[in-house]
Amino acid sequence: MLKNIKKWFEIIRAKTLLVSMASVIMAIALAFENGGNNWLPAILCLLFAMLAQATSNVVNDYADYKTGCDNENSLGPDRKLVSGEVSIKTIKRAIILLVSICFLVGFSLIYWGGWILLPFGLLIIAVAFCYSLGPIPLSYNALGDVAVILFFGIVPITFTYYILTKEINWEIIAAGFSMGLVVDELLIVNNVRDEIEDKQFDKVTTVGIFGSRFMKIVFLLNPFIACGLGFYFMRGICDYKTWAIAIIPMLIYSVSVYVKLEKYKGKQLNALLGQASLEAIIFALTVVVVTLL
């Protein structure tokens, strides 16, 4: 039983779900600060984001297995399709189940956010598939970073905030963009690790286009840009000095992960996937703590 649960946690890449949680947690903190303190839709937003990411992760495994990007020589964590522990049929059933639950949770949010949420909710589910499947899969055509910034940053933060407050403003869009940059850290680690392998299978990423040296610099700068944007979107909540002090742990941690990114090679980079995901949680918690002061 426990072994089976562990297997499915690995299939949905449970450790990486921190990034979708972080986006919604940050949006909830900002919404609650502005009077949108309704816990039920907040929890449903969190659940929807995690389900959407889990769906995307499983679909990505399926797509990479079918294209051959995931194989017995891959540098990434062990994939259950490659090892034969899970069949294609089982993965397809898991995808259907995840999409069904995701749709039901998202549909329930219409009660608080209105019917305008329906097309956007369907778009989010569609992107979970289009990220790695379809005639022009985003992650195979150097659009993975754009998709991450949009659908792990701007979209979940602005729509969670809207559902809770019935408002969208430039500050919350800036907050979403900043979180998107932080979440992109995870994708950069993944693409740096797979740079050579991706080229063999014609998978085009920003690392493949600009090189790992350039994208490592982007990795270093992303958290600093995100924290810098905080001086704008947090200006109505705290003064500049408070925010400047609050972001110090986030920046120190991010630099420590960057140092490891420079040092680690090959499969060693798998250890950084969880650490890069943690950057998003630390950023979100920084916002939470400041709103509680």
Side-chain angles (χ1 to χ4, degrees):
M1 177 68 175
L2 288 176
K3 186 177 180 181
N4 199 41
I5 292 174
K6 182 182 178 183
K7 178 177 71 177
W8 281 101
F9 264 68
E10 291 173 354
I11 290 171
I12 66 172
R13 306 183 203 174
K15 290 181 180 179
T16 68
L17 297 185
L18 289 173
V19 296
S20 54
M21 292 173 62
S23 298
V24 178
I25 289 170
M26 181 170 162
I28 291 171
L30 293 171
F32 276 33
E33 179 68 17
N34 289 285
N37 51 348
N38 192 334
W39 279 107
L40 181 54
I43 292 171
L44 289 173
C45 284
L46 183 63
L47 182 58
F48 177 81
M50 293 172 65
L51 286 166
Q53 186 187 351
T55 301
S56 180
N57 287 346
V58 178
V59 171
N60 183 251
D61 277 9
Y62 171 77
D64 284 350
Y65 175 76
K66 294 291 284 185
T67 60
C69 281
D70 275 351
N71 54 66
E72 59 276 3
N73 298 315
S74 295
L75 295 174
D78 293 337
R79 301 296 185 219
K80 302 307 178 184
L81 277 172
V82 175
S83 66
E85 292 181 59
V86 176
S87 67
I88 287 284
K89 189 175 182 180
T90 300
I91 285 293
K92 287 181 177 179
R93 287 176 176 172
I95 292 170
I96 292 171
L97 178 61
L98 284 168
V99 169
S100 300
I101 300 173
C102 190
F103 178 80
L104 290 173
V105 172
F107 193 81
S108 69
L109 287 167
I110 291 174
Y111 176 81
W112 290 276
W115 286 98
I116 192 174
L117 295 180
L118 182 59
F120 288 101
L122 292 174
L123 177 63
I124 291 169
I125 294 174
V127 169
F129 283 84
C130 294
Y131 183 79
S132 50
L133 284 176
I136 309 177
L138 301 177
S139 64
Y140 282 68
N141 291 277
L143 293 172
D145 299 84
V146 174
V148 164
I149 291 171
L150 278 173
F151 290 95
F152 285 91
I154 295 173
V155 170
I157 285 184
T158 54
F159 277 90
T160 298
Y161 188 85
Y162 173 77
I163 289 167
L164 296 177
T165 67
K166 301 298 184 293
E167 295 178 5
I168 293 179
N169 52 53
W170 286 111
E171 283 86 353
I172 202 66
I173 293 172
F177 181 70
S178 67
M179 178 57 81
L181 292 176
V182 176
V183 173
D184 193 44
E185 300 283 85
L186 173 61
L187 183 62
I188 292 173
V189 172
N190 189 80
N191 290 342
V192 167
R193 182 198 65 205
D194 295 339
E195 181 180 9
I196 296 174
E197 191 175 288
D198 286 343
K199 288 179 180 178
Q200 293 174 347
F201 291 95
D202 297 322
K203 183 176 181 179
V204 182
T205 67
T206 48
V207 171
I209 294 173
F210 301 110
S212 59
R213 177 70 262 154
F214 178 82
M215 291 309 295
K216 285 178 181 178
I217 294 172
V218 173
F219 183 93
L220 175 62
L221 293 178
N222 274 348
F224 283 87
I225 296 171
C227 289
L229 285 169
F231 286 104
Y232 170 65
F233 68 79
M234 294 294 288
R235 61 182 178 171
I237 297 173
C238 67
D239 57 42
Y240 292 157
K241 183 178 179 181
T242 300
W243 180 248
I245 294 171
I247 60 178
I248 291 174
M250 164 71 183
L251 294 177
I252 291 174
Y253 177 77
S254 298
V255 171
S256 73
V257 179
Y258 165 75
V259 170
K260 293 176 184 177
L261 180 62
E262 287 283 14
K263 184 169 61 174
Y264 290 5
K265 304 292 180 183
K267 287 196 172 186
Q268 289 179 316
L269 289 166
N270 290 329
L272 291 190
L273 294 174
Q275 293 178 41
S277 300
L278 192 57
E279 286 186 44
I281 283 290
I282 293 173
F283 189 51
L285 291 179
T286 300
V287 172
V288 172
V289 169
V290 171
T291 60
L292 293 175
L293 293 176

